[in-house]
Amino acid sequence: MNTVNFYFDGTKYNGYRGEPLAAALLRAGIVHFTDSINFQRPRGIVGIGVEESNAMVQFVSGAQEPTVPATMIELVEGLSVSSLAGVGNLPDEPETARYDKVHRHTDVLVVGAGIAGLTAARKHLLKGREVILMDDQPCPGGHYSHLGTVLPASFSEILTHKSLMYLPRTTVTGLYDQGFAVAIERRSDHLSAEINPNFARIRTWHIRASHIVLAPGAFQRPLVFANNDRPGILLSHAAATYVDRYQVRSFHRAVVATVDNQGYRDAVRLHKSSVQVVMILDSRSHASGKSVSEALACGIPVKMNCTVVDTAADTRGVLCSITAVDLLTKVTTKMDADLLAVSGGWTPTVHLGTFIGIKPTWSEPHAAFLIQRDSGYLSTVGMLAGDFGNGDGQSDDSPAIFFGPDLDDTQARFAFVDHQRDATLHELRRAVGAGLSSIEHIKRFTTIGTAHDQGKTSGTTTVGLMSQLVGNTADKNSKAMPIPAIGTLSFRPPYIPIPFVALAGRERGLLIDPIRTSSIHEWHVKAGAPMEDVGQWKRPWYFPLPGEEMPAALLRECAAARKGVAIMDASTLGKIDIQGPDAAQFLDRIYTNVFSTLKVGSCRYGLMCGADGMVFDDGVTTRLGHNHFLMTTTTGGAARVLAWLEEWLQTEWPELKVFCASVTEQIATIALVGPKSRELMGLLAPALDVSKEGFAFMESRESSVAGIPARVARISFSGELAFEINVPAWFGLHVWEQAMKLGQPFHIAPYGTETMHILRAEKGFIIVGQETDGTQTPADLDMEWIVSKKKDFIGKRSFLRDDVRRAGRHQLVGLLPEESAEVIPEGAYLVTTTNGKAITGNPLKPMKHIGYVTSSYFSAELGRSFALALVADGLNRMGEQVAIPLGNKIIPATICKSVFVDKENTRRDG
Amino acid sequence: MDKFNAFTLTSVRKSPLGGAKHGSPGIVALCEKPFVPSFNLRVKPGSLEFSAVADALGLPLPTIVGQSQQRTMGNEPPVNALCLGPDWWFILGEIDAIPLLEPVRAKAHFSIVDVSAQRTQIEIQGPCARKVLEHLWEQDLRETHFGIGSCTQGLMAKAPIVLWHLGQNRYNISVRSSFVRHLWEAMVDACVEYLG
């Protein structure tokens, strides 16, 4: 074995590479490990695995992970940790290690590589199945490895079986229905060499198994007596393993307190490792079996009907003596000891089973909760299933159901049930005394079982003590509660604490969510456009000239669109190809307006509502053929609308012959906007008749544009003369560049989402999701003109609802601030007085709220600011003054119609 | 397309990844296969249209969701039909079926939509290909469940894709063009541990 150096609380020690940090610290004489969280009582190492309730450390080296039990850390050169009193610290440094995730499907997942798990794995491998074997220890064998016993060849052989994937240092932290398990693999902390930064430190496994075998083994229970938390008091199996397997020589005189034969076996191991076992205190009246005979043969004194009731500490706070009590005579005896090895029975690890709703059952012969399953996709084996022997079902443990001796009130204050929470028997008594009889209430009242270990050692002890306490109180009405009636604590994933970063895996930084880009995106980036997030899309926000601020850029872009020519990438619009003999009828039902009358080669703006009659999406749909339409949706609504169409086609109207196909990314869409767009369009598409007479508003034409087969439509979202060019996305950038080149003489200006918003708001065009929040009917948006009276459509019946017809609904209106330079923040509230006069004076005074601003901009065209707002009964409030209180000031504004520019629609034809 | 100059068209078109390549075929390699013609086909199995469409395509359409069929003719590049749903196929490869079907279109109920630019294709291959995919893909990739020729849909790194098992250690990913940069980054990242 290699000797390595490590640091604990800044002091250098050495130990053996790969052994548990806890073993090396105990060997170095660190019995007093840390102090407890509330009472600052000295505490030492108690256990040997994840059940450890005291010895928590924080990594100083490596990933600086907080709150890891010293029993679970493998020693490597240069390891540095500091002891923790309950609370760890998140490092200030950003996480640099790599964490990843793997999804794997398998025939069988075996949880636990002890003898039971290995036996199960072998059985399934022999049946030709693919097996994943996960175990939280560095090496297989479970108890065998604690005992230092060499694994029999029949087991070690299967570890290299081609159909087996054995993952050590891997903890299954969650189990879910249908054979889904989540596990955490610790992959690099045990490697001392320079760690490759490309190697994931922790891997999260998502396993889906046809069958799961739970073989998680068990934890040893402590006993509850006065001052049972002193350094030097260990679980007997842990103590014997540290002394025997890891040659810890820090203990010399031991007392063993036991309720089963495990204590005898551990006493023998201590004895054989030259620890003087002063006495075995056995709470039972008699004991027999191989383990007992062996201890007696070693000459270890045994006292029956006896247990430990109290302990004392030396000046360092470390155990120096114990007080034994005869359970029949109550006579006490003091004994010097620097090690108290406690065996309170075994608690099988029921956690994973309870995660999927299984209620463990109490077994008196085992003095334990068990899960016995062998059906469907789940089976349990080993100690969890009640096999406390070595896979042979033979065990001579015969444990007593005993959790500790009777204690008086003073003793109970120092009898710890949950070490990590510093929760005592006294608190448990108070909880029961207060009338609590549910384990869930007791848990929350006392905090028992709520620490990092989720009551791995304290859970069953609490249930046992509760069973004694309930029905034993002054309240005569309370009934005794047997252990099975109490049940176990509720456990929840994860089984052990896991760093959030391990769950995040690679989905951090830029990989956290997709960034969607159009085929022209690269050009926008090169042009220096800041981007706006629109759902997952990155869209250019505006295109500043060198040194130009945003307001100036917007004025310039808007002016180009209204007076010259401007160009926008509209590729992100959702596009759905709709075909079939019933396509027109289908659209009539989907949209509030009629589409069956639309001529081939024409376009129409449509509004769709949900079944509740509220506006859901909008866009322009073009009839490409008699049975063929191309629908456009809002950028953010594309997937939602396609799902909506499919839902109606598949579940409500399967008789309609209609097929839909998403073509959002198939088509790049470029808008040429402005009075000079016709001239530019003519240059781009010489074969296309772009004249007012030859190409009417809301018509669509097939043509070559910049040499590319394209569809051009006269659609306008600004009120200006505009052409929308649609080409296969491979050619989007080419056509854009050609338009920019040919547009130079016209001083063409590219514009982004902000200018698009201003231009449409000046015309009072809504944006679904900005002017709407799912509670607006078309009438609320002053768009009753688009609602057909002649046909049925989704949402129509909801228009008859009283709430939809009532007066006073919020309606879309325009707003002109009194101060023409003042741009009201979007979302600002509008208030008024009842007589229609705006409020002046103290803005903090409560005022009647009548609506809110949905869109607000400065308009180049109007030379002033303007806004759109949803206002109660707004359409009947034209000319009314309202006020917008903002902090300590009030902005007065006047309600007007929502169309600000070109109310007569004179510009759309150029 | 015949009205247009094929040379001009191919010289100005751009694929979303510009034919990017990454990795090493001996371990795991990624490459974009740009400009693969592809079509979205919807038609009801068992209908008259179904056989008309299959005849025009010249390949039997697989009717089990998740299976694919290939047509090879002489030196022409193969055409593949991937069954994505009970009445839904994704056709990869150049077809001349659309003009052939024009006469029946007026009455028949089917849709064939050119979606060549809607998605681009990423091929992943090499001994570690499946391991890399397991970082990003939740579905079962075992040969017994997803053998060669199988196809399926889902989200890979939150991007909608069609995954198609091309051959031994070889998979094709059809990804929507707007998501492809993100998916490429996620795939390159998933290769890191294997490529060193």
mmCIF file with all atom_site columns, all heavy atoms in Angstrom, chain A residues 196-216:
data_model
loop_
_atom_site.group_PDB
_atom_site.id
_atom_site.type_symbol
_atom_site.label_atom_id
_atom_site.label_alt_id
_atom_site.label_comp_id
_atom_site.label_asym_id
_atom_site.label_entity_id
_atom_site.label_seq_id
_atom_site.pdbx_PDB_ins_code
_atom_site.Cartn_x
_atom_site.Cartn_y
_atom_site.Cartn_z
_atom_site.occupancy
_atom_site.B_iso_or_equiv
_atom_site.pdbx_formal_charge
_atom_site.auth_seq_id
_atom_site.auth_comp_id
_atom_site.auth_asym_id
_atom_site.auth_atom_id
_atom_site.pdbx_PDB_model_num
ATOM 1   N N   . ASN A 1 196 ? -7.491  14.988 -15.776 1.00 0.00 ? 196 ASN A N   1
ATOM 2   C CA  . ASN A 1 196 ? -7.792  15.524 -17.094 1.00 0.00 ? 196 ASN A CA  1
ATOM 3   C C   . ASN A 1 196 ? -9.070  16.355 -16.999 1.00 0.00 ? 196 ASN A C   1
ATOM 4   O O   . ASN A 1 196 ? -10.106 15.850 -16.585 1.00 0.00 ? 196 ASN A O   1
ATOM 5   C CB  . ASN A 1 196 ? -7.986  14.324 -18.039 1.00 0.00 ? 196 ASN A CB  1
ATOM 6   C CG  . ASN A 1 196 ? -8.318  14.753 -19.454 1.00 0.00 ? 196 ASN A CG  1
ATOM 7   O OD1 . ASN A 1 196 ? -8.655  15.919 -19.698 1.00 0.00 ? 196 ASN A OD1 1
ATOM 8   N ND2 . ASN A 1 196 ? -8.221  13.818 -20.378 1.00 0.00 ? 196 ASN A ND2 1
ATOM 9   N N   . PRO A 1 197 ? -9.001  17.644 -17.360 1.00 0.00 ? 197 PRO A N   1
ATOM 10  C CA  . PRO A 1 197 ? -10.191 18.488 -17.221 1.00 0.00 ? 197 PRO A CA  1
ATOM 11  C C   . PRO A 1 197 ? -11.353 18.033 -18.104 1.00 0.00 ? 197 PRO A C   1
ATOM 12  O O   . PRO A 1 197 ? -12.489 18.435 -17.892 1.00 0.00 ? 197 PRO A O   1
ATOM 13  C CB  . PRO A 1 197 ? -9.702  19.880 -17.644 1.00 0.00 ? 197 PRO A CB  1
ATOM 14  C CG  . PRO A 1 197 ? -8.473  19.636 -18.441 1.00 0.00 ? 197 PRO A CG  1
ATOM 15  C CD  . PRO A 1 197 ? -7.853  18.372 -17.930 1.00 0.00 ? 197 PRO A CD  1
ATOM 16  N N   . ASN A 1 198 ? -11.054 17.182 -19.112 1.00 0.00 ? 198 ASN A N   1
ATOM 17  C CA  . ASN A 1 198 ? -12.130 16.687 -19.976 1.00 0.00 ? 198 ASN A CA  1
ATOM 18  C C   . ASN A 1 198 ? -12.859 15.497 -19.368 1.00 0.00 ? 198 ASN A C   1
ATOM 19  O O   . ASN A 1 198 ? -13.815 14.997 -19.935 1.00 0.00 ? 198 ASN A O   1
ATOM 20  C CB  . ASN A 1 198 ? -11.561 16.258 -21.334 1.00 0.00 ? 198 ASN A CB  1
ATOM 21  C CG  . ASN A 1 198 ? -11.055 17.438 -22.129 1.00 0.00 ? 198 ASN A CG  1
ATOM 22  O OD1 . ASN A 1 198 ? -11.542 18.557 -21.932 1.00 0.00 ? 198 ASN A OD1 1
ATOM 23  N ND2 . ASN A 1 198 ? -10.095 17.208 -22.990 1.00 0.00 ? 198 ASN A ND2 1
ATOM 24  N N   . PHE A 1 199 ? -12.356 15.027 -18.222 1.00 0.00 ? 199 PHE A N   1
ATOM 25  C CA  . PHE A 1 199 ? -12.930 13.848 -17.589 1.00 0.00 ? 199 PHE A CA  1
ATOM 26  C C   . PHE A 1 199 ? -13.950 14.323 -16.560 1.00 0.00 ? 199 PHE A C   1
ATOM 27  O O   . PHE A 1 199 ? -13.640 15.124 -15.682 1.00 0.00 ? 199 PHE A O   1
ATOM 28  C CB  . PHE A 1 199 ? -11.795 13.072 -16.925 1.00 0.00 ? 199 PHE A CB  1
ATOM 29  C CG  . PHE A 1 199 ? -12.192 11.714 -16.434 1.00 0.00 ? 199 PHE A CG  1
ATOM 30  C CD1 . PHE A 1 199 ? -12.394 10.671 -17.326 1.00 0.00 ? 199 PHE A CD1 1
ATOM 31  C CD2 . PHE A 1 199 ? -12.356 11.475 -15.080 1.00 0.00 ? 199 PHE A CD2 1
ATOM 32  C CE1 . PHE A 1 199 ? -12.752 9.410  -16.871 1.00 0.00 ? 199 PHE A CE1 1
ATOM 33  C CE2 . PHE A 1 199 ? -12.709 10.218 -14.619 1.00 0.00 ? 199 PHE A CE2 1
ATOM 34  C CZ  . PHE A 1 199 ? -12.905 9.185  -15.513 1.00 0.00 ? 199 PHE A CZ  1
ATOM 35  N N   . ALA A 1 200 ? -15.185 13.836 -16.696 1.00 0.00 ? 200 ALA A N   1
ATOM 36  C CA  . ALA A 1 200 ? -16.231 14.316 -15.789 1.00 0.00 ? 200 ALA A CA  1
ATOM 37  C C   . ALA A 1 200 ? -15.963 13.849 -14.363 1.00 0.00 ? 200 ALA A C   1
ATOM 38  O O   . ALA A 1 200 ? -15.700 12.674 -14.134 1.00 0.00 ? 200 ALA A O   1
ATOM 39  C CB  . ALA A 1 200 ? -17.589 13.823 -16.262 1.00 0.00 ? 200 ALA A CB  1
ATOM 40  N N   . ARG A 1 201 ? -16.030 14.769 -13.417 1.00 0.00 ? 201 ARG A N   1
ATOM 41  C CA  . ARG A 1 201 ? -15.798 14.428 -12.016 1.00 0.00 ? 201 ARG A CA  1
ATOM 42  C C   . ARG A 1 201 ? -16.937 13.572 -11.475 1.00 0.00 ? 201 ARG A C   1
ATOM 43  O O   . ARG A 1 201 ? -16.720 12.552 -10.845 1.00 0.00 ? 201 ARG A O   1
ATOM 44  C CB  . ARG A 1 201 ? -15.683 15.717 -11.189 1.00 0.00 ? 201 ARG A CB  1
ATOM 45  C CG  . ARG A 1 201 ? -15.560 15.439 -9.703  1.00 0.00 ? 201 ARG A CG  1
ATOM 46  C CD  . ARG A 1 201 ? -15.391 16.717 -8.869  1.00 0.00 ? 201 ARG A CD  1
ATOM 47  N NE  . ARG A 1 201 ? -15.428 16.348 -7.476  1.00 0.00 ? 201 ARG A NE  1
ATOM 48  C CZ  . ARG A 1 201 ? -16.380 16.697 -6.622  1.00 0.00 ? 201 ARG A CZ  1
ATOM 49  N NH1 . ARG A 1 201 ? -17.365 17.472 -7.016  1.00 0.00 ? 201 ARG A NH1 1
ATOM 50  N NH2 . ARG A 1 201 ? -16.348 16.292 -5.377  1.00 0.00 ? 201 ARG A NH2 1
ATOM 51  N N   . ILE A 1 202 ? -18.152 14.001 -11.726 1.00 0.00 ? 202 ILE A N   1
ATOM 52  C CA  . ILE A 1 202 ? -19.318 13.229 -11.305 1.00 0.00 ? 202 ILE A CA  1
ATOM 53  C C   . ILE A 1 202 ? -20.193 13.003 -12.526 1.00 0.00 ? 202 ILE A C   1
ATOM 54  O O   . ILE A 1 202 ? -20.444 13.925 -13.298 1.00 0.00 ? 202 ILE A O   1
ATOM 55  C CB  . ILE A 1 202 ? -20.120 13.963 -10.213 1.00 0.00 ? 202 ILE A CB  1
ATOM 56  C CG1 . ILE A 1 202 ? -19.273 14.083 -8.943  1.00 0.00 ? 202 ILE A CG1 1
ATOM 57  C CG2 . ILE A 1 202 ? -21.422 13.226 -9.904  1.00 0.00 ? 202 ILE A CG2 1
ATOM 58  C CD1 . ILE A 1 202 ? -19.973 14.804 -7.799  1.00 0.00 ? 202 ILE A CD1 1
ATOM 59  N N   . ARG A 1 203 ? -20.624 11.771 -12.696 1.00 0.00 ? 203 ARG A N   1
ATOM 60  C CA  . ARG A 1 203 ? -21.526 11.452 -13.818 1.00 0.00 ? 203 ARG A CA  1
ATOM 61  C C   . ARG A 1 203 ? -22.882 11.067 -13.226 1.00 0.00 ? 203 ARG A C   1
ATOM 62  O O   . ARG A 1 203 ? -22.962 10.243 -12.326 1.00 0.00 ? 203 ARG A O   1
ATOM 63  C CB  . ARG A 1 203 ? -20.950 10.312 -14.645 1.00 0.00 ? 203 ARG A CB  1
ATOM 64  C CG  . ARG A 1 203 ? -21.887 9.802  -15.728 1.00 0.00 ? 203 ARG A CG  1
ATOM 65  C CD  . ARG A 1 203 ? -21.162 8.950  -16.742 1.00 0.00 ? 203 ARG A CD  1
ATOM 66  N NE  . ARG A 1 203 ? -20.266 9.786  -17.568 1.00 0.00 ? 203 ARG A NE  1
ATOM 67  C CZ  . ARG A 1 203 ? -19.369 9.301  -18.418 1.00 0.00 ? 203 ARG A CZ  1
ATOM 68  N NH1 . ARG A 1 203 ? -19.220 8.000  -18.553 1.00 0.00 ? 203 ARG A NH1 1
ATOM 69  N NH2 . ARG A 1 203 ? -18.611 10.124 -19.132 1.00 0.00 ? 203 ARG A NH2 1
ATOM 70  N N   . THR A 1 204 ? -23.919 11.688 -13.746 1.00 0.00 ? 204 THR A N   1
ATOM 71  C CA  . THR A 1 204 ? -25.280 11.308 -13.356 1.00 0.00 ? 204 THR A CA  1
ATOM 72  C C   . THR A 1 204 ? -25.780 10.275 -14.345 1.00 0.00 ? 204 THR A C   1
ATOM 73  O O   . THR A 1 204 ? -25.775 10.515 -15.556 1.00 0.00 ? 204 THR A O   1
ATOM 74  C CB  . THR A 1 204 ? -26.196 12.547 -13.372 1.00 0.00 ? 204 THR A CB  1
ATOM 75  O OG1 . THR A 1 204 ? -25.650 13.514 -12.472 1.00 0.00 ? 204 THR A OG1 1
ATOM 76  C CG2 . THR A 1 204 ? -27.601 12.184 -12.909 1.00 0.00 ? 204 THR A CG2 1
ATOM 77  N N   . TRP A 1 205 ? -26.173 9.125  -13.835 1.00 0.00 ? 205 TRP A N   1
ATOM 78  C CA  . TRP A 1 205 ? -26.695 8.050  -14.689 1.00 0.00 ? 205 TRP A CA  1
ATOM 79  C C   . TRP A 1 205 ? -28.210 8.036  -14.625 1.00 0.00 ? 205 TRP A C   1
ATOM 80  O O   . TRP A 1 205 ? -28.784 8.059  -13.539 1.00 0.00 ? 205 TRP A O   1
ATOM 81  C CB  . TRP A 1 205 ? -26.172 6.689  -14.223 1.00 0.00 ? 205 TRP A CB  1
ATOM 82  C CG  . TRP A 1 205 ? -24.731 6.454  -14.535 1.00 0.00 ? 205 TRP A CG  1
ATOM 83  C CD1 . TRP A 1 205 ? -23.657 6.800  -13.778 1.00 0.00 ? 205 TRP A CD1 1
ATOM 84  C CD2 . TRP A 1 205 ? -24.196 5.817  -15.700 1.00 0.00 ? 205 TRP A CD2 1
ATOM 85  N NE1 . TRP A 1 205 ? -22.489 6.425  -14.402 1.00 0.00 ? 205 TRP A NE1 1
ATOM 86  C CE2 . TRP A 1 205 ? -22.791 5.811  -15.575 1.00 0.00 ? 205 TRP A CE2 1
ATOM 87  C CE3 . TRP A 1 205 ? -24.774 5.252  -16.850 1.00 0.00 ? 205 TRP A CE3 1
ATOM 88  C CZ2 . TRP A 1 205 ? -21.962 5.266  -16.560 1.00 0.00 ? 205 TRP A CZ2 1
ATOM 89  C CZ3 . TRP A 1 205 ? -23.941 4.708  -17.809 1.00 0.00 ? 205 TRP A CZ3 1
ATOM 90  C CH2 . TRP A 1 205 ? -22.546 4.721  -17.665 1.00 0.00 ? 205 TRP A CH2 1
ATOM 91  N N   . HIS A 1 206 ? -28.821 8.001  -15.791 1.00 0.00 ? 206 HIS A N   1
ATOM 92  C CA  . HIS A 1 206 ? -30.266 7.782  -15.864 1.00 0.00 ? 206 HIS A CA  1
ATOM 93  C C   . HIS A 1 206 ? -30.452 6.371  -16.428 1.00 0.00 ? 206 HIS A C   1
ATOM 94  O O   . HIS A 1 206 ? -30.207 6.150  -17.612 1.00 0.00 ? 206 HIS A O   1
ATOM 95  C CB  . HIS A 1 206 ? -30.934 8.815  -16.777 1.00 0.00 ? 206 HIS A CB  1
ATOM 96  C CG  . HIS A 1 206 ? -31.093 10.152 -16.121 1.00 0.00 ? 206 HIS A CG  1
ATOM 97  N ND1 . HIS A 1 206 ? -31.970 11.097 -16.574 1.00 0.00 ? 206 HIS A ND1 1
ATOM 98  C CD2 . HIS A 1 206 ? -30.511 10.684 -15.029 1.00 0.00 ? 206 HIS A CD2 1
ATOM 99  C CE1 . HIS A 1 206 ? -31.914 12.165 -15.785 1.00 0.00 ? 206 HIS A CE1 1
ATOM 100 N NE2 . HIS A 1 206 ? -31.024 11.934 -14.848 1.00 0.00 ? 206 HIS A NE2 1
ATOM 101 N N   . ILE A 1 207 ? -30.854 5.465  -15.559 1.00 0.00 ? 207 ILE A N   1
ATOM 102 C CA  . ILE A 1 207 ? -30.945 4.059  -15.959 1.00 0.00 ? 207 ILE A CA  1
ATOM 103 C C   . ILE A 1 207 ? -32.406 3.680  -16.120 1.00 0.00 ? 207 ILE A C   1
ATOM 104 O O   . ILE A 1 207 ? -33.231 3.988  -15.257 1.00 0.00 ? 207 ILE A O   1
ATOM 105 C CB  . ILE A 1 207 ? -30.310 3.143  -14.886 1.00 0.00 ? 207 ILE A CB  1
ATOM 106 C CG1 . ILE A 1 207 ? -28.860 3.545  -14.616 1.00 0.00 ? 207 ILE A CG1 1
ATOM 107 C CG2 . ILE A 1 207 ? -30.416 1.670  -15.296 1.00 0.00 ? 207 ILE A CG2 1
ATOM 108 C CD1 . ILE A 1 207 ? -27.898 3.248  -15.732 1.00 0.00 ? 207 ILE A CD1 1
ATOM 109 N N   . ARG A 1 208 ? -32.720 3.025  -17.222 1.00 0.00 ? 208 ARG A N   1
ATOM 110 C CA  . ARG A 1 208 ? -34.053 2.447  -17.377 1.00 0.00 ? 208 ARG A CA  1
ATOM 111 C C   . ARG A 1 208 ? -33.875 0.945  -17.531 1.00 0.00 ? 208 ARG A C   1
ATOM 112 O O   . ARG A 1 208 ? -33.280 0.477  -18.494 1.00 0.00 ? 208 ARG A O   1
ATOM 113 C CB  . ARG A 1 208 ? -34.766 3.067  -18.586 1.00 0.00 ? 208 ARG A CB  1
ATOM 114 C CG  . ARG A 1 208 ? -35.234 4.488  -18.281 1.00 0.00 ? 208 ARG A CG  1
ATOM 115 C CD  . ARG A 1 208 ? -35.619 5.234  -19.525 1.00 0.00 ? 208 ARG A CD  1
ATOM 116 N NE  . ARG A 1 208 ? -36.112 6.567  -19.204 1.00 0.00 ? 208 ARG A NE  1
ATOM 117 C CZ  . ARG A 1 208 ? -35.337 7.644  -19.090 1.00 0.00 ? 208 ARG A CZ  1
ATOM 118 N NH1 . ARG A 1 208 ? -34.034 7.536  -19.223 1.00 0.00 ? 208 ARG A NH1 1
ATOM 119 N NH2 . ARG A 1 208 ? -35.871 8.822  -18.808 1.00 0.00 ? 208 ARG A NH2 1
ATOM 120 N N   . ALA A 1 209 ? -34.365 0.217  -16.530 1.00 0.00 ? 209 ALA A N   1
ATOM 121 C CA  . ALA A 1 209 ? -34.127 -1.224 -16.483 1.00 0.00 ? 209 ALA A CA  1
ATOM 122 C C   . ALA A 1 209 ? -35.447 -1.975 -16.561 1.00 0.00 ? 209 ALA A C   1
ATOM 123 O O   . ALA A 1 209 ? -36.451 -1.537 -15.996 1.00 0.00 ? 209 ALA A O   1
ATOM 124 C CB  . ALA A 1 209 ? -33.393 -1.582 -15.198 1.00 0.00 ? 209 ALA A CB  1
ATOM 125 N N   . SER A 1 210 ? -35.428 -3.110 -17.254 1.00 0.00 ? 210 SER A N   1
ATOM 126 C CA  . SER A 1 210 ? -36.630 -3.952 -17.294 1.00 0.00 ? 210 SER A CA  1
ATOM 127 C C   . SER A 1 210 ? -36.863 -4.564 -15.917 1.00 0.00 ? 210 SER A C   1
ATOM 128 O O   . SER A 1 210 ? -37.998 -4.834 -15.536 1.00 0.00 ? 210 SER A O   1
ATOM 129 C CB  . SER A 1 210 ? -36.467 -5.072 -18.319 1.00 0.00 ? 210 SER A CB  1
ATOM 130 O OG  . SER A 1 210 ? -36.117 -4.528 -19.564 1.00 0.00 ? 210 SER A OG  1
ATOM 131 N N   . HIS A 1 211 ? -35.773 -4.804 -15.201 1.00 0.00 ? 211 HIS A N   1
ATOM 132 C CA  . HIS A 1 211 ? -35.904 -5.376 -13.859 1.00 0.00 ? 211 HIS A CA  1
ATOM 133 C C   . HIS A 1 211 ? -34.861 -4.731 -12.938 1.00 0.00 ? 211 HIS A C   1
ATOM 134 O O   . HIS A 1 211 ? -33.731 -4.506 -13.349 1.00 0.00 ? 211 HIS A O   1
ATOM 135 C CB  . HIS A 1 211 ? -35.694 -6.891 -13.907 1.00 0.00 ? 211 HIS A CB  1
ATOM 136 C CG  . HIS A 1 211 ? -36.025 -7.554 -12.614 1.00 0.00 ? 211 HIS A CG  1
ATOM 137 N ND1 . HIS A 1 211 ? -37.314 -7.889 -12.262 1.00 0.00 ? 211 HIS A ND1 1
ATOM 138 C CD2 . HIS A 1 211 ? -35.242 -7.892 -11.559 1.00 0.00 ? 211 HIS A CD2 1
ATOM 139 C CE1 . HIS A 1 211 ? -37.306 -8.426 -11.043 1.00 0.00 ? 211 HIS A CE1 1
ATOM 140 N NE2 . HIS A 1 211 ? -36.067 -8.442 -10.600 1.00 0.00 ? 211 HIS A NE2 1
ATOM 141 N N   . ILE A 1 212 ? -35.291 -4.458 -11.719 1.00 0.00 ? 212 ILE A N   1
ATOM 142 C CA  . ILE A 1 212 ? -34.359 -3.867 -10.753 1.00 0.00 ? 212 ILE A CA  1
ATOM 143 C C   . ILE A 1 212 ? -34.263 -4.780 -9.535  1.00 0.00 ? 212 ILE A C   1
ATOM 144 O O   . ILE A 1 212 ? -35.289 -5.230 -9.007  1.00 0.00 ? 212 ILE A O   1
ATOM 145 C CB  . ILE A 1 212 ? -34.808 -2.447 -10.350 1.00 0.00 ? 212 ILE A CB  1
ATOM 146 C CG1 . ILE A 1 212 ? -34.656 -1.508 -11.550 1.00 0.00 ? 212 ILE A CG1 1
ATOM 147 C CG2 . ILE A 1 212 ? -34.000 -1.927 -9.170  1.00 0.00 ? 212 ILE A CG2 1
ATOM 148 C CD1 . ILE A 1 212 ? -35.044 -0.080 -11.290 1.00 0.00 ? 212 ILE A CD1 1
ATOM 149 N N   . VAL A 1 213 ? -33.036 -5.068 -9.150  1.00 0.00 ? 213 VAL A N   1
ATOM 150 C CA  . VAL A 1 213 ? -32.805 -5.853 -7.934  1.00 0.00 ? 213 VAL A CA  1
ATOM 151 C C   . VAL A 1 213 ? -32.232 -4.901 -6.888  1.00 0.00 ? 213 VAL A C   1
ATOM 152 O O   . VAL A 1 213 ? -31.200 -4.264 -7.118  1.00 0.00 ? 213 VAL A O   1
ATOM 153 C CB  . VAL A 1 213 ? -31.801 -7.002 -8.189  1.00 0.00 ? 213 VAL A CB  1
ATOM 154 C CG1 . VAL A 1 213 ? -31.593 -7.802 -6.900  1.00 0.00 ? 213 VAL A CG1 1
ATOM 155 C CG2 . VAL A 1 213 ? -32.283 -7.895 -9.315  1.00 0.00 ? 213 VAL A CG2 1
ATOM 156 N N   . LEU A 1 214 ? -32.920 -4.790 -5.765  1.00 0.00 ? 214 LEU A N   1
ATOM 157 C CA  . LEU A 1 214 ? -32.408 -3.954 -4.676  1.00 0.00 ? 214 LEU A CA  1
ATOM 158 C C   . LEU A 1 214 ? -31.663 -4.847 -3.698  1.00 0.00 ? 214 LEU A C   1
ATOM 159 O O   . LEU A 1 214 ? -32.242 -5.753 -3.099  1.00 0.00 ? 214 LEU A O   1
ATOM 160 C CB  . LEU A 1 214 ? -33.553 -3.237 -3.964  1.00 0.00 ? 214 LEU A CB  1
ATOM 161 C CG  . LEU A 1 214 ? -34.340 -2.213 -4.777  1.00 0.00 ? 214 LEU A CG  1
ATOM 162 C CD1 . LEU A 1 214 ? -35.413 -1.558 -3.921  1.00 0.00 ? 214 LEU A CD1 1
ATOM 163 C CD2 . LEU A 1 214 ? -33.408 -1.146 -5.358  1.00 0.00 ? 214 LEU A CD2 1
ATOM 164 N N   . ALA A 1 215 ? -30.357 -4.593 -3.565  1.00 0.00 ? 215 ALA A N   1
ATOM 165 C CA  . ALA A 1 215 ? -29.524 -5.339 -2.625  1.00 0.00 ? 215 ALA A CA  1
ATOM 166 C C   . ALA A 1 215 ? -28.669 -4.337 -1.862  1.00 0.00 ? 215 ALA A C   1
ATOM 167 O O   . ALA A 1 215 ? -27.448 -4.390 -1.888  1.00 0.00 ? 215 ALA A O   1
ATOM 168 C CB  . ALA A 1 215 ? -28.648 -6.331 -3.382  1.00 0.00 ? 215 ALA A CB  1
ATOM 169 N N   . PRO A 1 216 ? -29.325 -3.362 -1.200  1.00 0.00 ? 216 PRO A N   1
ATOM 170 C CA  . PRO A 1 216 ? -28.553 -2.249 -0.646  1.00 0.00 ? 216 PRO A CA  1
ATOM 171 C C   . PRO A 1 216 ? -27.930 -2.535 0.713   1.00 0.00 ? 216 PRO A C   1
ATOM 172 O O   . PRO A 1 216 ? -27.161 -1.720 1.209   1.00 0.00 ? 216 PRO A O   1
ATOM 173 C CB  . PRO A 1 216 ? -29.603 -1.136 -0.525  1.00 0.00 ? 216 PRO A CB  1
ATOM 174 C CG  . PRO A 1 216 ? -30.887 -1.868 -0.284  1.00 0.00 ? 216 PRO A CG  1
ATOM 175 C CD  . PRO A 1 216 ? -30.774 -3.194 -0.974  1.00 0.00 ? 216 PRO A CD  1
#
